[in-house]
Structure formats: C-alpha cells, structure tokens
Amino acid sequence: MRDRVADVQSEQPIILRDVPSIRAWRAERPGSVGFVPTMGALHDGHATLIEQAKAENERVVVSVFVNPLQFDQASDLDRYPRDLDSDVALCRGLGVDAVFAPGVGDLYPHEPVVTLSAGSLGTTLEGASRPGHFDGMLTVVSKLLNLAQPDRVYFGRKDAQQLVIVRMMVEDLNLPVDVRAVPTVRDVDGVALSSRNRRLTAAQREAATAIPLALDAASASAASGASASNVRAAALARLTTSSLVVDDVELVSPTSLEPVPDDHVGEALLVIAVFAGEIRLIDNAVVGLGAVRPA
Ligand code: AMP
C-alpha cells in the first residue's frame, strides 16, 4: 500500500459515531460534500475514490460500516475484516474531513420494516448467488445518502452491478446526488484490490491472477471479432486452467445487465465470479463486440 499516513495534516478526520453527529456535522457545513461509502478495511482502491472525491468537493466524508443487511451468510459477515484505527489513519493521510463509523444499533435501532428493492437488477448475476444482497446495499446507501446529504457519491467500477443499481435508484427516486464512477484499482499483477484479498492464502492469491488474465483473454478475443459466446469461452478457458472454482462468467449489457445476444455489436460487460477456497472474488471488464472498441 502507498504510504498515505506520512503526510498527517491535522486533527482531521472528525470521527462521527452516530446519527445525530453526522446530521450536525452536515448542517454546519454549507459547501460541497463528496461521500465515499465503504465497509472499511480500506486499501488503495478506496483511496482512489477518496482522492477523486477530494479533487471534486470542498469536503469529503467516508463511511465505514459493515452492513449486516447485505450479507446473506452470517459467517461471511463475521469474518469480514474490521480495522477502524488503520482506516482512520488512511483517511487522515488523505485529508478526509469526517469518517462516519456508526454501530449497527445506530443505523438499525430496530429491524428495518421499510426497505428498498433493486427489483430484477438485484436478482441477476451477483444477486442470484447472494439473495437480498443488493436490496440490503440499497437500503443502507439510501440511509447514508440521507444522512451525509452529499453533492457527489463515489463508487468503484469493480462492483459494476452495484454501480448500475445505485444509478437506477438515484434515477428512479430522483435523489439529488451525482453518482461518480471510479475505475478499478489493481495490484501490479492485475488482481483487483479487495478487502477480501486479505483472507486469501498465498496459493489462492497466486491463483487469483487467472482473473485479470481471463479478462485480458476475453478482451483480446473480442478485439479479434469473436462472437459473445466465444469471448465468454475465452475467459472461461483461462479460469478453468487455474485452481479457482468458476461461479459465474457472463457477458451482459452494461446498463440492463441482460445477457447480450451472440451477434451483439457494441459494448458488453464481462462479469466474473469465482471461488478461491471459500472466498468469492468478483471482477469485470467492458469489452467491445462486433469490432466496436470499448470507450
Ligand atoms: P467496499 O468497502 O468493498 O464496500 O467498497 C467500497 C467502495 O470501494 C465501492 O464503491 C467499491 O466498488 C469500491 N472499491 C472496492 N475495491 C475497489 C477497487 N479495487 N478499485 C476501485 N474501487 C474499489
């Protein structure tokens, strides 16, 4: 990780632990606010979102909250890495103004009765493997947006389906916020940074390099004019030679998330979900089918 703690600037960030404190913080700050929602265990991927938010807003608030509503497996929730001290240190090094780190009881004083649904966008791809995940994600993101009231909110392209669904929520509910998408940040070997990578063994981490290689193989196949099914096959072929267990590989529309037809001309989103042991890793890339170069 880059040394982000070196240039400590001040007593910032302010740590906000509950709903009244973030409401008060926001009410006292009339200028533009950029908001970066996270589940903590921050890495350079998150840092890139924060840097973009810093560049585009007068103030930046980062939330650190492991949202129980978006975990369908209790064991996954329990094992999710938590390290608020180092998250705050990283935020301090980046000049973040406030870290909102509420407890579960602060955001959910009772089991929520009224929640959001991502509809059909939430039951496909990742949502098919993780029932309720995107509904829980939307519910917490909408709560966090209501509390932080940002001008801009930052999401990574690493979680492509999440980004599509959040954009749809903002459109469908007329939320007054600009959704900004940030490209996926990768390690030197191409593996996308993820808080879950901390749980990989050395052998699993090595095996994970098949994921970016599969994305590259698919992009090269698309560039040579291959059909959607052959592009998908190119990615699958690369993954199946590794020790990873393939959960899902699909080529879908980047907006509707519907599978693209075999003779599709235009951009398509290649999504990959694999298991390295018990750990599920996801990644994606936009490819251009029918001799269309991706933007
Ligand atoms: P998480 O803490 O995993 O919920 O992620 C918080 C935000 O950081 C989400 O918008 C993610 O898409 C984004 N993010 C996570 N990993 C990366 C990455 N490697 N590159 C870019 N954005 C990322």
Side-chain angles (χ1 to χ4, degrees):
M1 175 174 292
R2 281 174 264 164
D3 184 7
R4 297 178 176 283
V5 188
D7 56 337
V8 175
Q9 294 165 347
S10 66
E11 291 307 303
Q12 307 275 32
I14 297 170
I15 317 294
L16 309 166
R17 299 305 304 242
D18 56 23
V19 166
S21 30
I22 188 163
R23 285 209 190 281
W25 181 87
R26 186 62 179 106
E28 289 159 11
R29 285 162 184 83
S32 65
V33 167
F35 175 47
V36 182
T38 82
M39 296 205 299
L42 302 182
H43 50 65
D44 279 347
H46 300 107
T48 304
L49 272 64
I50 293 169
E51 283 167 341
Q52 189 171 331
K54 279 287 289 179
E56 296 178 350
N57 301 276
E58 286 163 66
R59 291 193 179 79
V60 171
V61 55
V62 173
S63 65
V64 173
F65 181 67
V66 183
N67 175 34
L69 250 55
Q70 67 191 70
F71 286 80
D72 56 309
Q73 308 268 346
S75 59
D76 197 21
L77 173 63
D78 289 345
R79 280 189 227 145
Y80 200 86
R82 293 164 171 88
D83 190 350
L84 185 60
D85 288 346
S86 68
D87 292 344
V88 169
L90 181 137
C91 287
R92 182 175 301 123
L94 292 171
V96 167
D97 298 276
V99 172
F100 179 46
V104 172
D106 293 296
L107 279 198
Y108 302 116
H110 58 80
E111 183 81 15
V113 178
V114 177
T115 57
L116 288 180
S117 164
S120 57
L121 287 177
T123 52
T124 185
L125 303 175
E126 278 290 285
S129 304
R130 304 177 67 188
H133 167 71
F134 288 109
D135 298 348
M137 179 278 295
L138 276 188
T139 299
V140 82
V141 169
S142 65
K143 284 166 74 76
L144 293 169
L145 290 173
N146 285 331
L147 292 169
Q149 298 186 20
D151 299 85
R152 297 175 193 85
V153 62
Y154 294 79
F155 286 92
R157 291 197 184 278
K158 156 102 182 358
D159 298 285
Q161 186 171 7
Q162 170 170 277
L163 180 60
V164 168
I165 290 173
V166 168
R167 284 197 192 285
M168 191 58 81
M169 169 177 74
V170 167
E171 183 179 329
D172 282 349
L173 301 183
N174 301 103
L175 300 186
V177 67
D178 183 11
V179 178
R180 312 284 287 151
V182 179
T184 300
V185 179
R186 299 178 178 281
D187 231 325
V188 279
D189 60 3
V191 173
L193 299 184
S194 165
S195 307
R196 288 172 195 269
N197 293 356
R198 294 185 184 196
R199 290 171 50 204
L200 297 174
T201 64
Q204 289 168 339
R205 177 63 187 72
E206 171 63 28
T209 56
I211 303 169
L213 291 173
L215 294 174
D216 289 348
S219 298
S221 166
S224 72
S227 64
S229 53
N230 286 336
V231 169
R232 181 174 172 276
L236 265 176
R238 188 64 195 77
L239 292 169
T240 47
T241 58
S242 75
S243 60
L244 301 171
V245 175
V246 175
D247 189 35
D248 201 16
V249 174
E250 292 195 48
L251 262 176
V252 299
S253 152
T255 48
S256 73
L257 303 179
E258 301 272 351
V260 295
D262 204 34
D263 58 355
H264 179 73
V265 175
E267 290 192 340
L269 183 70
L270 176 70
V271 292
I272 290 179
V274 295
F275 281 99
E278 287 183 356
I279 300 156
R280 198 157 176 282
L281 300 173
I282 59 168
D283 205 341
N284 68 83
V286 174
V287 299
L289 295 172
V292 171
R293 302 185 71 177

